Amino acid sequence: MDLSIKERLDNSKLPRHVAIIMDGNGRWAARHGSARIFGHEHGIEAVRSVIEGAGEVGIGYLTLYAFSTENWSRPREEVDGLMSLLVYAIDSETVNLMKNNVRLGVIGDMKMLPRRVREKLESCIEKLKDNTGLTVILAISYSAKWEITEAVKKMVSDATRERIDPSQITNELFESYLSTKGIPDPELLIRTSGEYRLSNFLLWQIAYAELYFTDILWPDFRKEDLFEALLNFQNRERRFGMTSEQIAG
Ligand code: IPE
Ligand code: IPE
Ligand code: MG
């Protein structure tokens, strides 16, 4: 009997944190002869399925790149549509997230968001805060260079006030200034839609992540595709600069 992809996964070798660049909504819409926003709407089904799948296999953290700092430069109509969709999606999905024991977090420049979006996010985070399952982190109005610049600003300000000593700055101290403070680095980064770039996503945190690219457009991506990526991840040798023999030994 053939085992499903999910059954072939080794539960002892799962990444604790998976990050996804959800790309290809616009192209999906074009293929269906529709406006871009139609692709974004259908992207919600993919988000739902992936959250469910991540919970089923026991992933700890799932970070979803939903809107980048650079995306503010898109046509006004699309940006407005995406903001409304965000509010709608949070409203319609909260019950489901609660049922799945999901906690919610957000990273990004919240000051840039319309108030209704910010408030909706805050209230959803509050409602789900005592859940103990998968933590979903939405990256909204996020870019890695923004995040790193903010961290440097805060650090320099703390150094000026003598709250930290510049000679004591370490990798770990720097991480405590990032918006992902306390969250383990993603071991697996997935990007859909056949684009091979990072688009300013989590640059510091993915220093040693395994990268997985698929041609599937985001609205077509489902939990089975996530399991496929996880299986692929499990077949890689993560050497961290060492030799294969050292890893085997
Ligand atoms: C990803 O899909 C969603 C966002 C960036 C908000 P795109 O809208 O980038 O879709 P493509 O890349 O144009 O197909
Ligand atoms: C990256 O996708 C951002 C998100 C998925 C939210 P883009 O479609 O904006 O990235 P580029 O423009 O192809 O680099
Ligand atoms: Mg894109």
Side-chain angles (χ1 to χ4, degrees), residues 166-184:
S167 71
Q168 305 289 310
I169 294 174
T170 57
N171 190 329
E172 289 73 25
L173 184 69
F174 184 72
E175 282 177 356
S176 74
Y177 281 84
L178 294 173
S179 51
T180 48
K181 176 184 175 175
I183 299 167

Side-chain angles (χ1 to χ4, degrees), residues 20-24 27 36 64-68 70-71 74 139 142 191 193 195 197-201:
I20 308 183
I21 302 176
M22 310 184 287
D23 198 13
R27 278 162 284 168
R36 296 179 57 83
L64 302 173
Y65 204 5
F67 193 86
S68 72
E70 287 76 16
N71 289 149
R74 290 196 178 186
Y142 173 90
R191 184 172 188 147
S193 87
E195 304 291 356
R197 58 176 167 272
L198 301 174
S199 301
N200 217 345
F201 190 41

Side-chain angles (χ1 to χ4, degrees), residues 60-61 93-104 124-136:
Y61 299 86
E93 296 301 318
T94 304
V95 174
N96 224 0
L97 293 172
M98 185 59 99
K99 208 171 66 201
N100 288 322
N101 196 19
V102 170
R103 262 193 318 165
L104 188 68
C124 185
I125 290 170
E126 174 66 25
K127 279 186 198 138
L128 304 178
K129 74 174 189 316
D130 296 324
N131 286 345
T132 54
L134 171 72
T135 299
V136 173

Side-chain angles (χ1 to χ4, degrees), residues 8-22:
R8 282 158 59 200
L9 289 173
D10 176 351
N11 289 333
S12 69
K13 276 176 68 183
L14 283 169
R16 279 205 291 167
H17 185 173
V18 177
I20 308 183
I21 302 176
M22 310 184 287

